[in-house]
Amino acid sequence: MEFRQELETGLLKQIGNIENELKIKDVASKCRLLKTENGLKVELSYTGPNASKYLQYVEKHREELTNYLLHPDDADLYEWMETSHQTSLTLKKHEKEKLILYVNFDPETMNVLTGIADENVTMKLGAPLMNICIKDMSRKAFKLSIFEMLLLADEIALAMGNEELRKMANIEMVKTYLSEIYDKFHEGPIID
């Protein structure tokens, strides 16, 4: 951990580690895949500020970056895995667990939070699947958010090999329940 003393106040301020701030999407946008005799290779084509940190990130996360660049449609899954500190191996450990999709709505803030939980409704796996405020959203944007959340849940269930969670991600009940929340609590005109 590094600290820097601020000139005006004399206080010590922690200097953040840029590697922790880097996201797979940002790094991948500065990389490309090259075909070599030994297969595919991730090449970093970035030479700007903190290039060495980007290079370290590429070295540490080469496999994830390769998969990300090969399957750009799976971007949400890789970002969720990064945020929740999961890997393919850690997800596999949840294959036999009884997991459910969890929905929490706060009528005061109009925030909808969804995630993966166990039977005791204890949030599992770190990061939420969706965390949105429906106050200023159109019905169409909300429906798209639900669809993207269910796709992400399905991808996570597939990565785990968890059939029960996969069934949960496909059920009509989640979509109906969330739509009812929107219709009941959305104060503005319901724009489709």
Side-chain angles (χ1 to χ4, degrees):
M1 211 177 290
E2 292 180 57
F3 295 91
R4 181 187 327 154
Q5 191 169 12
E6 291 182 331
L7 217 56
E8 299 83 27
T9 61
L11 297 173
L12 292 176
K13 186 178 179 184
Q14 184 177 343
I15 301 169
N17 182 353
I18 186 122
E19 189 180 336
N20 294 339
E21 297 166 15
L22 292 177
K23 298 285 180 224
I24 193 166
K25 188 194 310 190
D26 302 329
V27 178
S29 69
K30 294 168 178 50
C31 294
R32 61 185 180 154
L33 282 178
L34 293 177
K35 220 174 196 172
T36 66
E37 291 175 3
N38 301 328
L40 292 172
K41 178 186 173 192
V42 176
E43 182 183 77
L44 178 68
S45 56
Y46 177 70
T47 56
N50 299 310
S52 65
K53 298 291 182 189
Y54 280 85
L55 192 56
Q56 286 173 3
Y57 187 96
V58 170
E59 292 302 319
K60 266 188 179 173
H61 305 279
R62 190 170 296 281
E63 188 177 329
E64 291 94 336
L65 279 165
T66 303
N67 287 333
Y68 185 95
L69 291 166
L70 280 172
H71 309 286
D73 291 340
D74 295 343
D76 290 342
L77 174 63
Y78 288 108
E79 287 173 20
W80 178 86
M81 285 172 68
E82 192 170 58
T83 307
S84 60
H85 305 290
Q86 298 293 324
T87 65
S88 301
L89 294 173
T90 58
L91 281 178
K92 280 286 183 199
K93 293 177 182 175
H94 300 282
E95 181 178 3
K96 301 291 183 205
E97 284 186 55
K98 179 106 172 104
L99 298 171
I100 60 170
L101 287 182
Y102 164 79
V103 177
N104 183 16
F105 176 69
D106 183 348
E108 287 181 25
T109 62
M110 303 291 282
N111 269 11
V112 176
L113 177 91
T114 64
I116 297 172
D118 60 17
E119 291 173 305
N120 300 323
V121 194
T122 304
M123 193 80 123
K124 301 281 274 190
L125 308 173
L129 299 172
M130 177 174 81
N131 188 3
I132 57 172
C133 180
I134 66 170
K135 199 182 307 182
D136 302 319
M137 288 182 92
S138 70
R139 185 174 181 77
K140 196 175 228 169
F142 182 66
K143 283 167 63 177
L144 181 62
S145 296
I146 294 170
F147 179 71
E148 288 173 345
M149 181 270 298
L150 290 172
L151 274 177
L152 176 59
D154 189 58
E155 289 172 2
I156 293 166
L158 267 173
M160 280 180 190
N162 190 315
E163 282 303 313
E164 289 300 310
L165 183 61
R166 188 134 195 251
K167 286 177 195 166
M168 191 97 185
N170 287 319
I171 58 174
E172 196 65 34
M173 189 175 75
V174 175
K175 291 183 268 188
T176 304
Y177 177 68
L178 287 168
S179 296
E180 284 174 3
I181 289 173
Y182 183 89
D183 293 341
K184 185 175 180 182
F185 292 99
H186 197 273
E187 292 171 2
I190 296 175
I191 308 161
D192 207 8

